[in-house]
Amino acid sequence: MDPHLLRTFVVVAERASFSAAARELGYTQSAVSQQIAALEDDLGVPLLHRRPVAPTEAGARLLEHAAALLLRLDAARADVRRAAREPGGVLRVGASALSAYRVGVALSVVRRARPGLELVLRVAGRDGVVAGVAGGDLDVGLVDGVAAPSDPLRLGDVAPLTTVAVAEQPCVVLLPAGHPLARRSGLRLDDLVDARWIDAPEVAAPLADLRAAVGSDGLRGSVRYEGADVRTLLALVAAGHGLAIVPSGAADGVPLAGPRLVFRTELVHGHLAGAAADLAGSVRIGA
């Protein structure tokens, strides 16, 4: 399967239009049609209905695999280039919102060792950091998430990436000051399944992870916050919009007594060399 044709198929399916895909990809509409026909000939099945443009059943199945296939190809290409690249003058680091503060001290160590180094720090969501490292846009990344103690984060299959544990912090539950449970010494998640929650995946435990931890879909989202500012999350909690679970170092809250969950921070990287290797060593030492 030609990845070039696969990328074209993904854009056509997402835009539901051959002409829109042609404009985005910089091709003629005829060229896009020819590429889709070539992919269909290769697989031996129709992938798109033409009027209106929509995936067939086989096309929908291919779309389920396409993102992972293309990301894996990008990851392999980036890792080969990293291995062959001479150490440069730019270090590009990605970090999820709650792990970004850990980069500061490590970057200071690297800068002292390499005074002419240009540093670029990108704060993004967990998936964005992992994809950036896999695709070569970032040299190294830090991500965090909720997990059982000593369990790795579920980051998907984007090999050949390496993940290394950096830190684990206890979880705390954020509640409004006047909440009847705010003075408890500890709270179990099982006792909070009927509460309203703020789903803030970039700065708190995602509701999907908490539901998996308790084996219940009873955790109801009241507000979804897609930003990366902890102060905004605290304001939403204080205003009574819902509860949230964050690492103990991010804010004051009631300790989570069960199930046993921690906020885990991991270093994500491919081939390490030069300043990226220096940073990785500094983050681990300073964890």
Side-chain angles (χ1 to χ4, degrees):
M1 187 188 310
D2 186 335
H4 178 72
L5 302 181
L6 182 60
R7 291 182 193 278
T8 299
F9 165 70
V10 170
V11 176
V12 173
E14 289 178 343
R15 301 293 175 267
S17 167
F18 281 78
S19 58
R23 288 192 297 271
E24 179 171 331
L25 295 170
Y27 299 138
T28 64
Q29 185 171 335
S30 174
V32 169
S33 297
Q34 291 173 11
Q35 291 178 34
I36 297 301
L39 183 59
E40 291 176 327
D41 288 343
D42 179 32
L43 296 177
V45 293
L47 298 172
L48 291 169
H49 299 294
R50 266 46 176 190
R51 293 178 183 273
V53 176
T56 63
E57 184 176 348
R61 195 65 67 86
L62 179 60
L63 279 174
E64 293 175 2
H65 297 280
L69 288 170
L70 294 173
L71 180 57
R72 183 118 185 177
L73 287 170
D74 288 342
R77 183 181 297 110
D79 205 50
V80 169
R81 289 174 176 170
R82 274 191 291 257
R85 188 170 61 204
E86 291 293 328
V90 181
L91 176 62
R92 299 160 301 173
V93 182
S96 52
L98 291 177
S99 61
Y101 77 95
R102 295 186 181 276
V103 182
V105 174
L107 286 177
S108 297
V109 174
V110 175
R111 186 181 288 281
R112 285 196 296 270
R114 300 171 182 269
L117 184 69
E118 179 183 347
L119 300 173
V120 178
L121 175 61
R122 180 192 305 171
V123 177
R126 180 199 303 173
D127 292 342
V129 172
V130 173
V133 176
D137 295 328
L138 299 171
D139 298 304
V140 67
L142 275 178
V143 295
D144 60 75
V146 67
S150 301
D151 279 359
L153 298 179
R154 293 177 294 177
L155 299 179
D157 182 15
V158 288
L161 294 183
T162 300
T163 60
V164 181
V166 171
E168 289 185 356
Q169 292 179 278
C171 294
V172 296
V173 183
L174 301 181
L175 308 99
H179 196 282
L181 301 178
R183 296 184 179 276
R184 292 279 189 91
S185 59
L187 290 171
R188 294 189 57 82
L189 196 53
D190 292 342
D191 299 329
L192 301 171
V193 291
D194 294 326
R196 294 190 305 169
W197 290 84
I198 299 170
D199 192 12
E202 304 302 340
V203 287
L207 281 188
D209 292 350
L210 297 180
R211 291 183 182 119
V214 296
S216 168
D217 59 359
L219 298 171
R220 296 176 294 118
S222 171
V223 174
R224 181 173 173 86
Y225 172 54
E226 298 182 350
D229 183 7
V230 176
R231 291 172 299 179
T232 300
L233 174 63
L234 294 176
L236 289 170
V237 172
H241 291 290
L243 313 184
I245 290 180
V246 299
S248 58
D252 293 331
V254 179
L256 182 67
R260 294 188 63 203
L261 296 175
V262 295
F263 256 86
R264 182 179 172 90
T265 304
E266 291 184 352
L267 179 74
V268 182
H269 63 84
H271 175 80
L272 285 175
D278 294 346
L279 177 68
S282 299
V283 169
R284 294 178 200 173
I285 292 170

